Amino acid sequence: LERRMFRTYDTPDSDFPFDDWSLPSLLAHQARYNPDRPFIRWTHEGRPHSFADAAGTVSRLAGAFRRAGVGEGDRVVLYMRNSLNHVACWLALNVLGAVDAPINPAYFGALLAHQIKLVRPRFIVVDAELRERFGKLRMKSASPRRQCW
């Protein structure tokens, strides 16, 4: 069944690393063999984003995360609304081997602080429109390094 899935995308079976079923390897493979095919469609945008678009965005984000100090095994909170940026951050963290911890953007105050305390992240990515809500938090323990996207 899995090999049949790739034939539908005109992907040579012999070139796919079947021993590495990671999201980053799958995205890179599809970007190489099917760069213009749709990777994701977002409801409010008119055009789908191709595998090549996604791979480029994910690569740039992974580089930015790496330069900020995110590495393998680091926990990173994604305090973001459902968006293409959220998907791209999630995939970029997968490239680095970091652990994403999405937190519902409806949470605020003590509930948000509690979620962050449970995760004990090294980094937090915050949507710009949630920045004010996040900035009002009173963290009792040492705050992680904060990053706003």
Side-chain angles (χ1 to χ4, degrees):
L1 175 67
E2 292 87 7
R3 290 178 189 263
R4 206 172 54 220
M5 174 179 70
F6 292 103
R7 285 193 192 103
T8 63
Y9 278 107
D10 303 321
T11 303
D13 283 346
S14 62
D15 291 336
F16 184 77
F18 283 101
D19 57 332
D20 180 12
W21 276 95
S22 67
L23 288 171
S25 69
L26 182 58
L27 180 59
H29 183 78
Q30 292 296 352
R32 178 177 176 197
Y33 287 101
N34 300 294
D36 298 324
R37 292 235 182 193
F39 167 70
I40 192 168
R41 294 178 197 270
W42 211 253
T43 55
H44 67 278
E45 295 186 6
R47 69 172 183 87
H49 294 270
S50 70
F51 281 104
D53 292 340
T57 299
V58 167
S59 177
R60 285 188 298 277
L61 279 172
F65 282 136
R66 186 180 297 113
R67 286 188 298 279
V70 176
E72 187 172 344
D74 286 341
R75 290 178 303 275
V76 180
V77 161
L78 298 179
Y79 186 54
M80 306 173 76
R81 298 191 188 286
N82 291 335
S83 66
L84 286 172
N85 287 337
H86 192 155
V87 172
C89 286
W90 172 65
L91 288 167
L93 292 169
N94 272 271
V95 167
L96 299 176
V99 179
D100 69 288
I103 293 182
N104 188 331
Y107 292 174
F108 61 94
L111 182 56
L112 176 57
H114 177 70
Q115 294 294 311
I116 292 169
K117 183 180 175 185
L118 288 175
V119 174
R120 295 181 321 195
R122 182 152 184 240
F123 293 88
I124 299 176
V125 179
V126 181
D127 266 342
E129 62 266 18
L130 299 172
R131 189 177 187 175
E132 183 179 329
R133 181 186 302 175
F134 182 80
K136 292 179 181 179
L137 281 183
R138 304 232 190 270
M139 302 292 289
K140 293 182 180 176
S141 61
S143 293
R145 186 168 172 184
R146 296 181 184 175
Q147 297 283 326
C148 290
W149 222 261

